[in-house]
Amino acid sequence: MADAVELLSSDNFDVAIGDIKDIIIKEVSGMSVDMSPKGADNAIGSGPKGKSLVLSVPSQPKYGEITLVLVPGAHQGGNDDKLWEWYKDCASKANLGEAAKARSLRKEMTINVYYSGSDGKVGLTYSFVGVLPNSFDVPKRDAGSSELETWTLKLNYERMKFTVSA
């Protein structure tokens, strides 16, 4: 029997958003989908022998909001400029009399999670369709701090799937 290889939440990963690759990511979260049935929590009446009856119907999936914590800068070939340009291009420009371009700027995104100590073997791939930036946050400046600067980018998406590699 082959040795089982487990994924850890601390395993290395990389993120590619369309043609935006080589971005330095410290943390990623929010990859979720909720397909809770509607109506399952309310009885619609009482049936034979006093059984409660419910009418449960499938619901549309609700997808999470991906949060990327980025390490900004052009170090190690980072691609922050393309990420920022995409964010600006997707922003509403109604106050300038321009039409929003966000609909045509949706991207596909992948997150590859690598097995620990496996020399780059992908263990899990998350794939997202219809990705758009939602918000961008730069932290406050503190002259006395020695912490690594990080930016937070939140993304919405239309669909998600994941693939576990053998």
Side-chain angles (χ1 to χ4, degrees), residues 4-31:
V5 179
E6 296 179 350
L7 287 168
L8 305 173
S9 63
S10 62
D11 283 343
N12 290 331
F13 58 91
D14 66 24
V15 177
I17 305 171
D19 61 337
I20 304 170
K21 297 173 178 35
D22 301 323
I23 46 181
I24 311 300
I25 306 291
K26 181 179 180 211
E27 181 181 317
V28 61
S29 62
M31 301 163 298

Side-chain angles (χ1 to χ4, degrees), residues 82-102:
K82 283 179 111 176
L83 191 63
W84 179 241
E85 287 299 319
W86 176 55
Y87 179 81
K88 287 191 318 186
D89 289 344
C90 288
S92 172
K93 296 178 180 67
N95 59 333
L96 301 175
E98 295 180 28
K101 300 177 193 173

